[in-house]
Amino acid sequence: MSKNGLNPDSDRTGGGRRRIDSRRDPQRHSPLSLLAVCGSAAFRCAIPILAAALWLISSGSASGAGSDNGAGSSPAPTEEASEYRTPLAGEPLSTTLFGRNIDIPPRNRDNNFSVVVGSTFFTTRLAGDDLLPIGSLYWKHRWDATRVRGIFSLFVNEFDLSNTTGKLQTLLHFDNNTIPFSDEEVVDGKNVRETSIIRGTANGRMGLGLRVPVYPYQTDNDFRVQLFWQGGYLYSNPTSDTGSQVSLPPDTMVVGPFLRVRYDGLRRNLMELPHRGLAFGLDAELMRRGTWSDANYGGAVFPGNQTRDYSKLSGYIMAAGGIPGLSERNRLILSCYGGFAPSGLLDRFSAFRIGGGPFPTESDDLYRQVYPGATFNQFPASQYLVGSAEYRRELLFFMYLHFRFTYAWVDRVLFTDPARLSEQDRGRAFSVGLTSGFFWNSQLFVEYSYDTSILHNGSPGSALLFLWSKEL
């Protein structure tokens, strides 16, 4: 029996999980197996992508009847209007609500400075937590050809700077994750104390890019191809709870090229939620660690010659549009995310990380895959596929109700298993939430999510996410 009470030579079929001994499978990273992974992902995404294309074509003329130049005032959103039009981001609005006249001036969407606070409340305890606090500062600004974007939360930060000349861009990026508290892996919904370590990264990128504005020609609608050279520093240290079998690799520099492709043709509503259009993206990286060795994170040994060099490929597609036969108040949003490692063996520090949080809507945040109700970065995965289908209803011009179904397939390595088994988990989550304008020029987001099995070792669980953002 293994340390966590599971037989490493048996398959586990409960909870939609299947375990595979990746160490004994020499074809795991062969060209044929990678082709099979890509084919499987494409097949799983084919249905939502095809559906998105069909309803975008069928509803495009109806939902896109209004001008998208962003210069005119939105018609008053009253039922008496011959054809209702949802107020769009950045546009002025004159309307009446409960007998009161409301005038919203046009807004410069290039410039924003906001604070975001909130928490995830786990109605079923997850990873030893009943709640997970959230807080950050968001900054976006443009000075002619220079743009900056930053998210700051003390120990976890990211910053982007770009300068555009014609269609060419010079690019600079920095991010760090240097939380000084212990980090433990989550297995079957519980923290494994023996995996406790303190770890951190600090990364920088410099690059060149091509940026071309695309329809509907708002500030966030563009096609971008960006090529970076990135370098970073990775460190890790044991804690007093670290298991005796844990052997960490040396602190090291990590360098390599990074390719990023983005297309954002989404038009967003007053609350900056995707209203209609299509967006997709692709990330590819090829990385090498300077000084490396074998490592043990609480289970089997990860050979240094298989984990020092690695490549990762991930992508997403999102489509939003109307529903034929229904008014513009009703929207459908489909998304699909996937990723895998063409070469190398991903370990605790290089694996894809899938976690919870709000559904991504901002152009530079669309790459982030979300499984509702999870903790941050809960799933370390070598391959994954996450898809969602959302129905949204406009209750008032500033208030939106949504229902979302999320499906996830995750191939994750259990770092606590002596046989180094990979666990193929399948999960389904159902979410209902409300996005609304609030007092003091702020926005409120509340979402309840119910997970069928993947987060709590085959058992159902639920969580409540609350976020409040205020423009400063």
Side-chain angles (χ1 to χ4, degrees), residues 22 74 229 241 302 331 385 407 449:
S22 59
S74 295
W229 181 262
D241 292 325
F302 281 73
R331 313 308 286 175
L385 189 71
Y407 171 84
S449 58

Side-chain angles (χ1 to χ4, degrees), residues 200-421:
T201 59
N203 304 297
R205 301 184 200 137
M206 296 183 64
L208 298 174
L210 172 70
R211 179 181 183 271
V212 180
V214 299
Y215 181 83
Y217 303 110
Q218 301 296 305
T219 182
D220 44 13
N221 298 132
D222 55 28
F223 173 70
R224 288 176 285 166
V225 179
Q226 302 172 335
L227 181 61
F228 296 89
W229 181 262
Q230 62 179 0
Y233 187 73
L234 166 66
Y235 66 88
S236 60
N237 296 291
T239 71
S240 58
D241 292 325
T242 304
S244 59
Q245 74 276 29
V246 173
S247 175
L248 298 175
D251 300 344
T252 183
M253 294 293 296
V254 186
V255 297
F258 178 83
L259 174 67
R260 180 164 61 187
V261 178
R262 296 287 186 270
Y263 174 86
D264 188 336
L266 293 171
R267 192 65 168 100
R268 292 162 172 85
N269 64 26
L270 184 66
M271 293 291 103
E272 295 288 348
L273 304 175
H275 185 68
R276 61 173 173 266
L278 181 71
F280 61 83
L282 175 72
D283 289 338
E285 56 184 310
L286 179 63
M287 304 303 295
R288 159 161 276 218
R289 286 142 167 178
T291 304
W292 205 242
S293 68
D294 295 350
N296 187 315
Y297 303 105
V301 174
F302 281 73
N305 60 357
Q306 296 183 38
T307 56
R308 181 183 184 184
D309 301 313
Y310 63 89
S311 61
K312 296 165 66 176
L313 184 65
S314 61
Y316 67 88
I317 183 170
M318 179 182 294
I323 303 176
L326 298 180
S327 75
E328 196 177 0
R329 295 181 183 274
N330 304 276
R331 313 308 286 175
L332 184 63
I333 300 92
L334 303 178
S335 67
C336 187
Y337 292 75
F340 72 104
S343 63
L345 180 64
L346 301 185
D347 58 21
R348 184 169 181 176
F349 305 120
S350 60
F352 295 105
R353 289 280 176 168
I354 302 173
F359 190 74
T361 60
E362 185 213 2
S363 183
D364 289 304
D365 192 43
L366 292 180
Y367 72 92
R368 182 173 54 86
Q369 66 276 40
V370 170
Y371 189 82
T375 62
F376 292 123
N377 300 328
Q378 180 168 343
F379 301 113
S382 60
Q383 306 167 31
Y384 69 91
L385 189 71
V386 180
S388 70
E390 175 184 316
Y391 165 74
R392 184 196 305 139
R393 170 69 181 181
E394 180 183 338
L395 303 179
L396 298 169
F397 71 89
F398 61 89
M399 183 180 293
Y400 296 85
L401 175 70
H402 72 258
F403 300 88
R404 185 184 309 119
F405 168 75
T406 303
Y407 171 84
W409 172 84
V410 180
D411 185 11
R412 59 178 174 180
V413 177
L414 296 181
F415 302 122
T416 58
D417 198 312
R420 200 188 317 144
L421 302 176

Side-chain angles (χ1 to χ4, degrees), residues 55-176:
W55 55 255
L56 277 174
I57 293 173
S58 63
S59 63
S61 58
S63 61
S67 171
D68 263 320
N69 57 18
S73 175
S74 295
T78 61
E79 296 297 342
E80 289 77 11
S82 58
E83 183 177 351
Y84 178 79
R85 182 186 170 199
T86 295
L88 300 178
E91 292 185 352
L93 174 66
S94 296
T95 187
T96 301
L97 181 66
F98 305 134
R100 181 179 177 182
N101 293 329
I102 296 176
D103 292 301
I104 299 176
R107 181 169 60 91
N108 184 354
R109 299 176 64 230
D110 277 321
N111 303 327
N112 186 282
F113 184 52
S114 302
V115 60
V116 181
V117 295
S119 181
T120 300
F121 300 90
F122 301 107
T123 56
T124 305
R125 175 170 287 194
L126 182 60
D129 293 323
D130 292 311
L131 66 87
L132 190 66
I134 302 169
S136 67
L137 290 174
Y138 172 83
W139 180 43
K140 182 174 70 171
H141 200 89
R142 176 180 177 178
W143 298 275
D144 296 327
T146 302
R147 299 187 184 193
V148 297
R149 176 186 179 271
I151 299 178
F152 310 100
S153 56
L154 194 58
F155 301 119
V156 181
N157 309 282
E158 62 179 79
F159 176 80
D160 286 280
L161 173 66
S162 68
N163 186 271
T164 304
T165 304
K167 296 180 180 179
L168 298 179
Q169 289 186 306
T170 53
L171 307 163
L172 180 66
H173 170 88
F174 172 80
D175 67 78
N176 73 288

Side-chain angles (χ1 to χ4, degrees), residues 450-469:
Y450 175 86
D451 164 64
T452 59
S453 62
I454 194 173
L455 299 179
H456 298 85
N457 192 24
S459 300
S462 59
L464 181 66
L465 173 62
F466 169 84
L467 286 177
W468 179 72
S469 58

